[in-house]
Amino acid sequence: MSIQQPSVSKLIVSNLSTSRGGKMIFDKLSFSLSPGEILLVKGDNGSGKSTLLSNLANILSPTSGKICLKTRKTQNVRYIGHKLAIKTTLTVRQNLSFWCKLYNANNDFFEKSVKDFCLSDILDFRINKLSAGLIKRVSLARLSIGESLLWILDEPYTN
């Protein structure tokens, strides 16, 4: 299998502030992450966890501050939010094949994702016939297709 690891990178967040509807969600948040590190964002409902993750995924612009992904090689940021970006009328194989094409990834990535997430027995099942937990695994498998520097998962432990 010929899968290359992405170049070394670092995520640096400096003085990040975000407000929505005139209300400050968080103010002057700073942190950094190196390869292999995990940031766990905890808090009550409505405390701004999803807003922060949306800022990091460049879905929602912060009010102020800076988000910098320092790298020697441009890579994708992968995001899984509340909606899993999986087509329910397609099979597991069709969904993962779509993401392989979109991410310009070779078949080695497909095979590794299927193996790592134990999906080989359900490749030809339609998504709408799977349990919520299996659907979540398919969604997580798409993260590992191709190269990416940063995975952002909103509520990864649901289902």
Side-chain angles (χ1 to χ4, degrees), residues 75-143:
Q75 301 292 328
N76 293 325
V77 172
R78 304 285 165 81
Y79 173 80
I80 293 182
H82 298 288
K83 296 185 179 184
L84 301 177
I86 298 293
K87 290 290 237 176
T88 60
T89 57
L90 299 179
T91 65
V92 172
R93 181 187 314 275
Q94 290 168 323
N95 271 282
L96 294 180
S97 294
F98 167 81
W99 289 105
C100 276
K101 288 177 187 166
L102 185 69
Y103 295 148
N104 198 26
N106 64 34
N107 196 52
D108 290 342
F109 285 103
F110 177 91
E111 291 175 14
K112 184 168 179 6
S113 280
V114 168
K115 181 181 177 218
D116 289 349
F117 289 90
C118 303
L119 300 173
S120 59
D121 291 342
I122 62 167
L123 279 175
D124 296 314
F125 286 51
R126 276 192 182 178
I127 297 294
N128 61 6
K129 301 295 182 191
L130 301 178
S131 69
L134 285 175
I135 294 170
K136 185 68 161 231
R137 273 202 303 187
V138 172
S139 181
L140 291 170
R142 84 170 166 86
L143 290 175

Side-chain angles (χ1 to χ4, degrees), residues 1-119:
M1 196 170 292
S2 61
I3 297 176
Q4 296 179 345
Q5 294 299 316
S7 300
V8 175
S9 63
K10 187 169 190 160
L11 173 69
I12 301 170
V13 175
S14 305
N15 294 316
L16 195 68
S17 299
T18 299
S19 61
R20 296 183 82 178
K23 178 185 174 200
M24 186 61 67
I25 307 297
F26 49 83
D27 192 29
K28 297 180 182 165
L29 182 63
S30 296
F31 62 89
S32 65
L33 289 173
S34 295
E37 290 185 322
I38 296 172
L39 171 68
L40 174 63
V41 182
K42 295 169 68 172
D44 295 333
N45 287 343
S47 63
K49 301 179 301 290
S50 293
T51 299
L52 171 61
L53 298 179
S54 293
N55 286 164
L56 297 176
N58 201 24
I59 295 168
L60 179 66
S61 296
T63 306
S64 63
K66 200 176 219 180
I67 301 169
C68 182
L69 187 57
K70 292 189 171 200
T71 180
R72 288 179 279 165
K73 188 175 177 183
T74 303
Q75 301 292 328
N76 293 325
V77 172
R78 304 285 165 81
Y79 173 80
I80 293 182
H82 298 288
K83 296 185 179 184
L84 301 177
I86 298 293
K87 290 290 237 176
T88 60
T89 57
L90 299 179
T91 65
V92 172
R93 181 187 314 275
Q94 290 168 323
N95 271 282
L96 294 180
S97 294
F98 167 81
W99 289 105
C100 276
K101 288 177 187 166
L102 185 69
Y103 295 148
N104 198 26
N106 64 34
N107 196 52
D108 290 342
F109 285 103
F110 177 91
E111 291 175 14
K112 184 168 179 6
S113 280
V114 168
K115 181 181 177 218
D116 289 349
F117 289 90
C118 303
L119 300 173

